[in-house]
Amino acid sequence: MVFVIDSPHRINRPESRYKDITLPYPSWVVDCSPLDLWQYPPDLLKIEKVVKALSDCDALVLNEFGLSLWGALKKPAFALLTGTDVEVLADFRYADFATGGWAAPVGLLKKIRFWKQRRSQRELKVHLLHKIGEQRDAIRHAVGVHYFPAGMLPNADRILTELEVDRDRRVFFFPAEMRYAYAAYPENRTLRLFNVARITWRKSSVPFLCELDYKGTDVLIRGLGLFVRESRIPIEIRLVKKGADLEMTRQLIDEEGLVPYVTWLEEMDHSKLYDEYKNADVVTDHFGQGSIGMGALDALAVGRPVIANGSPAVFRKALGEEPPICHAITAEDVRNQLLKLATNRALRESIGKQSRLYVEKYCNPVLGAKIILEKLGPHAESQAAITLHALKPRVSTEK
């Protein structure tokens, strides 16, 4: 097996999650960071190093920018899609967004610097269109493609349909961190709420993000405002300083009268994240379109009730049983779910136990590994499939 690391950020590296895989890395971990496979002009020496490291593998498991390397390797590959790699990097419209518009005032047309800038933009756009094409080719030719269930994310469904990814090749599994042990329920005197999703909710603030990146934090904050104003239950709201809309969220917290109740946390590694789960009475995730994240799954594994948009119908169809999520898509839903949980410790503990049982049954990573190996078939028998950048952040501190 060969595992390639392309990011220098600790949260994207093995040691952030696995304390036994750290520097100096074992021989099967190849550290090529920092490596931006889509940078322009490309770092050809580092790309050659990655291709060489993977050239002896019989099969590949690729995601993120790594999918664009498939054309240089032409090995049987499984596309482990997680969001941006399909909804942004496989969408030709991204090239226009990344390079900006071409309109310019007439006065600038006479200036040399304008034409130099325009030439650079044109070269970058050609480069991006080429990389997007490579990304799409990898998905089109993959023996299996993992993504969220059909019907949940329309833009992804559109792209995968264009790439002729049919039902036989498209699969879905949801891996939780099973190494997180179930934790006994805490004895908090003040209700403790931990939000695991990053703070991104204004669609106009960061254009061309994957739909999964919009977490609906405003819905959470407004719901918490209703809860605080309508009950006398003491609460501590713990938020991580990560996301595109931190400042606007601070303003909204002030408007909702929540400043005395909020504790801001710095980004953290997985051991500290586990402590947050263990010490929380309730965990919240996303309230936008799409799916709960890996952070919510890990909270379920620890045995904590999660309030989020649980997409119950979609998961019931995809997995056979909907997760025991306290489903909420409006501020009123958040308030109602929180009131129900806050006044009934036995209910919180019961839902937490159901949550652990659910992830044991449906979200064990071994199940996902079996699906990948089945799709790769005989190609994976002689040498284990490699993974490129599969250690994506799976918590509120991602990106």
Side-chain angles (χ1 to χ4, degrees), residues 96-111:
D96 285 323
F97 162 72
T99 55
W102 296 103
V106 175
L108 274 180
L109 297 178
K110 298 179 180 180
K111 297 182 181 294

Side-chain angles (χ1 to χ4, degrees), residues 165-230:
V165 178
D166 57 22
R167 291 183 179 180
D168 291 336
R169 286 199 296 143
R170 184 170 176 175
V171 298
F172 170 71
F173 49 85
F174 225 174
E177 179 53 272
M178 302 308 299
R179 302 199 313 173
Y180 285 162
Y182 173 83
Y185 213 77
E187 299 285 348
N188 295 327
R189 299 183 64 179
T190 296
L191 189 75
R192 183 164 169 165
L193 181 148
F194 174 62
N195 180 56
V196 70
R198 63 186 178 278
I199 314 260
T200 302
W201 49 273
R202 293 190 308 146
K203 291 197 175 184
S204 60
S205 63
V206 182
F208 221 100
L209 281 181
C210 167
E211 186 66 46
L212 292 168
D213 289 319
Y214 298 108
K215 302 302 183 181
T217 316
D218 56 327
V219 174
L220 171 63
I221 300 302
R222 295 185 195 282
L224 289 169
L226 293 174
F227 173 81
V228 167
R229 290 191 293 273
E230 297 175 16

